Amino acid sequence: MIIVLEQKVTEEKKAHIRRFLEKRGYQVREIVGEVETIFGAVGTPGIDLREVELLDGVSKVVPITKPYKLASRELKKDDSVVSIGPVKFGGGRISVIAGPCAVESREQIFAVAEAVSKAGAVVLRGGAFKPRTSPYAFQGLGELGLSYMKEAGEAYGLPITSEIVSPAHVEMMASYVDAFQIGARNMQNFELLKEVGASGLPVILKRGLCATIEEWLMAAEYLMAHGTDNVVLCERGIRTFERYTRNTLDLSAIPVVKKLSHLPVIVDPSHGTGLRGKVIPMGLAAAAAGADGLMVEVHTNPDEALSDGPQTLFPEQFEKLMRDIEAMTPVLGKSLEHIPRRKPFSAARKPADEGENLAAFQGVPGAYSEEALRQYFHESFQPKACRHFRDVFEAVASGECRYGIIPVENSLAGVINENLDLLLRYPDCRVVGEKEIRIVHSLIAKPGTKLADIRRVYSHPQGLAQCEAFLDTLSGAERVPFFDTAGAVAYIAQQEDAQAAAIAGGGAADYYGMEVLKEGIETNPRNYTRFYIITREETDETGGREPNRMIMVFSTPDEPGALFKCLKILAEHGLNMKKLESRPIHGKPWEYMFFVETEIPGRTSYEAAVEQLRTASEDFRILGSFYTRK
Ligand code: PEP
Ligand code: MN
């Protein structure tokens, strides 16, 4: 049952309710949500729910109708975020696990770890105890394999996971792995589930070869009932009559499970298809279907692999898969998880303590900038709304917020010049990352409003312009320009105007208790906005990776070929220019600063180019550098 606690319940009352339930044989979990705190009580004692409802501090009691309780969405409405080492699964991330089917040697696991970490995998996989169909096939290196894998994981900063096949291995394996993997063949090995669950370590739970979704969730329930809250479900294909693929990868299970359970769901397209050529398309399809991540088999020499070679990707194929997923993330509204390696603030410039975890954006809550900020930082930073772009820079420069996010260009409307100018005016603020989101406009109105009633539509002029074709279908509706999109929603929420609507992102409707009348009303769906992440420090937001993109700004002497000379330096050092903008220099009519974004192929060529540019140009400055997959 779910016990919803009163909003201001005291710790004392909570302890009393917990004692009451535990004494009657229930297991109790506290779940703190955004709106309410609940106790989930599971077990079989038959008591009258009214007895619980009468307890002091209880607001209401709701029975859980599903046979799985702790894993159920009824118990927990928000998505669970599961941590494996420093890496997170769920909550808007796509987290990718990769590695060989089996650990074969120290050299092999090191080589694969290097390749997959370079391509962006965040967890290293590898079997040490292989449950093979034939007793004569390679059975794995056992504990020695785990020790090689632990070493390789540490060398490349990757947490590791490996399959456990026997309850007797729990203690030994717990000293090596960051997460247990329960294989398809063991999904209903209940003694194993109990022991693994009791270890408290995170678990990746594969779906059994012939398991229904409910049986799979019941297996998760076993793990959770015995002590771990950190379960990642993994769809890996089920047995059907089809024999062309090794299994039938059931991607429809993803939206089904996401509705039934709060647990993250990942997909293993390697075992799911059994064929290398099918892994990339099905991996992309899994991401499109809403998977929170992938588990992929990769080997530096798959043709020599001791197990599952035919379904194992070459490192270059894995790299392509990662690039393609990254390209999909703006459409999915997610971000690819990377290993967080954050440098602490330097003591001299430390902001107020609370600023440590704040990130500033311009606009009111529900703005697209806030959406970008959430997709980039997830729950690790609190958004702070600022009125103007300048305020975002101020908040970062003063140390009030550790980070800021600023839009720099929209794929339809072009560059946001004000922010380029502000980058010049705030030399303390450096660009350390970028985030691209897809702009999906919605028509938002008060709950109960009908499309036919709308007479006035408020939005930022850009929002109105980008939805022109749709607005033409609302005959006679006046278009009212407003200072920002989410601000328009906030405004009509306060008005007594039953004929008003606003155009903004769907998030604004949730925030102001309004209703989306129609989603995706933009004329051109290929509408993206790119943001820069700014901070005062050279932090390691790039996930410890060498930056491969640099933004610089300079002016040139007033002479023939001056800009050409600077660009020639880029060309000579192999720095591929991705963007060139010019902005007027304030106070110097008809003189310009040039903003250049370039790829950095390697440290030496980059340093040599910068040195030459400093002499060839005037006022040369680097505005920042970061890692991007583009
Ligand atoms: C594996 O991932 O190594 C494995 C054996 O997978 P499954 O249990 O899904 O067959
Ligand atoms: Mn395998």
Side-chain angles (χ1 to χ4, degrees), residues 322-529:
M322 294 300 287
R323 263 202 312 276
D324 289 353
I325 290 179
E326 174 91 62
M328 283 170 72
T329 54
V331 178
L332 301 170
K334 290 186 172 177
S335 63
L336 206 51
E337 172 74 338
H338 55 71
I339 307 248
R341 281 178 209 138
R342 219 166 261 145
K343 282 186 191 160
F345 261 116
S346 64
R349 310 172 84 191
K350 201 173 183 333
D353 276 351
E354 59 273 23
E356 242 342 317
N357 292 317
L358 287 179
F361 70 96
Q362 183 274 332
V364 296
Y368 288 110
S369 288
E370 189 190 17
E371 177 60 28
L373 190 154
R374 285 189 192 281
Q375 284 185 29
Y376 189 83
F377 290 110
H378 300 286
E379 62 286 336
S380 52
F381 281 85
Q382 285 296 317
K384 174 163 186 338
C386 297
R387 192 163 166 78
H388 304 290
F389 289 132
R390 196 188 55 243
D391 303 334
V392 175
F393 282 82
E394 265 313 316
V396 173
S398 68
E400 189 192 343
C401 294
R402 179 162 175 163
Y403 290 104
I405 191 162
I406 47 161
V408 282
E409 60 181 324
N410 173 268
S411 58
L412 300 178
V415 173
I416 295 138
N417 287 320
E418 186 182 346
N419 281 329
L420 293 187
D421 294 347
L422 284 164
L423 278 170
L424 287 181
R425 279 182 41 203
Y426 285 85
D428 272 357
C429 295
R430 315 255 303 162
V431 179
V432 291
E434 66 164 357
K435 179 73 202 162
E436 183 183 320
I437 66 163
R438 180 175 164 205
I439 303 295
V440 179
H441 290 308
S442 292
L443 188 74
I444 295 167
K446 290 208 153 136
T449 310
K450 302 252 173 345
L451 210 52
D453 301 338
I454 304 298
R455 290 289 168 272
R456 277 163 293 284
V457 180
Y458 295 76
S459 193
H460 187 277
Q462 285 288 347
L464 294 170
Q466 289 177 0
C467 301
E468 189 139 32
F470 170 78
L471 288 173
D472 286 346
T473 67
L474 296 182
S475 49
E478 187 192 349
R479 298 161 199 197
V480 190
F482 207 78
F483 71 91
D484 95 20
T485 52
V489 179
Y491 175 75
I492 61 163
Q494 288 166 355
Q495 303 301 305
E496 293 299 329
D497 182 353
Q499 299 180 325
I503 293 175
D510 293 343
Y511 192 87
Y512 299 103
M514 304 285 275
E515 200 168 274
V516 171
L517 292 190
K518 195 158 177 14
E519 196 185 3
I521 58 169
E522 66 279 8
T523 312
N524 187 337
R526 299 182 70 163
N527 184 353
Y528 299 91
T529 297

Side-chain angles (χ1 to χ4, degrees), residues 150-192:
K150 186 172 159 82
E151 254 190 274
E154 276 164 8
Y156 293 98
L158 299 172
I160 64 171
T161 183
S162 194
E163 179 171 351
I164 179 156
V165 293
S166 162
H169 293 163
V170 171
E171 208 180 311
M172 178 277 289
M173 282 187 75
S175 62
Y176 294 102
V177 301
D178 299 281
F180 285 115
Q181 182 178 319
I182 300 276
R185 288 155 199 83
N186 274 313
M187 189 206 82
Q188 283 188 317
N189 181 340
F190 298 115
E191 291 312 309
L192 182 65

Side-chain angles (χ1 to χ4, degrees), residues 100-102 125-127 129-132 163 181-186 206-209 234-237 246-247 268 271-272 295 297 307-308 311:
C101 178
R125 63 147 285 148
F129 297 92
K130 295 304 299 174
R132 305 302 300 280
E163 179 171 351
Q181 182 178 319
I182 300 276
R185 288 155 199 83
N186 274 313
K206 293 278 194 97
R207 179 175 178 187
L209 277 74
C234 181
E235 162 64 44
R236 47 78 72 205
R246 182 174 172 183
N247 292 290
D268 171 352
H271 293 89
M295 174 183 271
E297 286 185 341
S307 57
D308 285 350
Q311 69 190 33

Side-chain angles (χ1 to χ4, degrees), residues 566-624:
C566 293
L567 300 186
K568 189 160 166 275
I569 295 173
L570 297 181
E572 282 168 357
H573 290 85
L575 271 64
N576 184 22
M577 186 167 69
K578 303 300 283 185
K579 192 169 174 58
L580 172 64
E581 295 289 335
S582 68
R583 291 293 302 147
I585 301 177
H586 292 194
K588 291 189 182 172
W590 323 126
E591 290 189 32
Y592 300 88
M593 294 295 282
F594 297 101
F595 284 80
V596 175
E597 217 180 289
T598 75
E599 288 175 354
I600 326 177
R603 190 172 281 279
T604 31
S605 50
Y606 150 75
E607 282 168 357
V610 165
E611 201 177 309
Q612 290 184 20
L613 277 166
R614 281 192 201 282
T615 24
S617 67
E618 291 172 354
D619 298 323
F620 179 86
R621 229 166 72 200
I622 293 174
L623 295 179

Side-chain angles (χ1 to χ4, degrees), residues 534-573:
I534 56 169
T535 182
R536 286 175 311 139
E537 298 283 332
E538 280 287 19
T539 56
D540 230 353
E541 270 310 313
T542 53
R545 285 150 175 260
E546 279 288 307
N548 58 5
R549 201 50 89 84
M550 168 175 66
I551 311 156
M552 55 192 146
V553 64
F554 53 81
S555 59
T556 59
D558 187 13
E559 61 186 36
L563 177 61
F564 168 75
K565 279 184 204 155
C566 293
L567 300 186
K568 189 160 166 275
I569 295 173
L570 297 181
E572 282 168 357
H573 290 85

Side-chain angles (χ1 to χ4, degrees), residues 250-287:
D250 181 11
L251 293 186
S252 59
I254 303 166
V256 173
V257 171
K258 291 216 75 82
K259 188 148 185 230
L260 297 175
S261 174
H262 52 86
L263 296 172
V265 189
I266 65 169
V267 169
D268 171 352
S270 307
H271 293 89
T273 60
L275 299 161
R276 189 181 297 148
K278 312 287 178 271
V279 171
I280 294 182
M282 294 315 281
L284 296 177

